[in-house]
Amino acid sequence: AYKLYQNVPNPFNGTTTIKFYVPEDAEVTISVYNMLGEHVADVTNDIYSIGKHTVEFNSNNLGQGTYFVRMTTEGFTATKNMNIVK
């Protein structure tokens, strides 16, 4: 099954690692949203092969606070909280 793992470290300042798993070749979009649900950043939008993958997210242009990281594929969506501290 598709899986979005909690980002590490969390909370973080600067860069965090987001891991996810795809059970088949799939187009994966990972985006960041603020507390109001507004899209504030794209992490990745690419086609990934079967397996576990890792992407880095740099928060330098975002303010301190709680954000949501959302992974979307065809037929699957998962959301995790992440906290930025400055």
Side-chain angles (χ1 to χ4, degrees), residues 1-79:
Y2 290 96
K3 180 97 173 125
L4 173 64
Y5 299 95
Q6 186 65 54
N7 63 297
V8 178
N10 187 35
F12 69 101
N13 178 11
T15 305
T16 189
T17 300
I18 300 167
K19 293 183 181 177
F20 60 95
Y21 176 82
V22 292
E24 59 193 0
D25 292 358
E27 184 175 342
V28 176
T29 301
I30 298 180
S31 300
V32 177
Y33 297 84
N34 64 18
M35 290 293 286
L36 301 175
E38 298 167 334
H39 177 266
V40 295
D42 283 319
V43 181
T44 187
N45 184 5
D46 210 346
I47 295 174
Y48 288 88
S49 58
I50 297 170
K52 196 180 226 185
H53 300 276
T54 302
V55 290
E56 296 285 319
F57 175 65
N58 186 314
S59 69
N60 286 344
N61 56 352
L62 295 177
Q64 178 169 308
T66 299
Y67 293 83
F68 300 104
V69 56
R70 179 179 295 154
M71 171 183 167
T72 307
T73 66
E74 187 176 323
F76 174 82
T77 300
T79 305

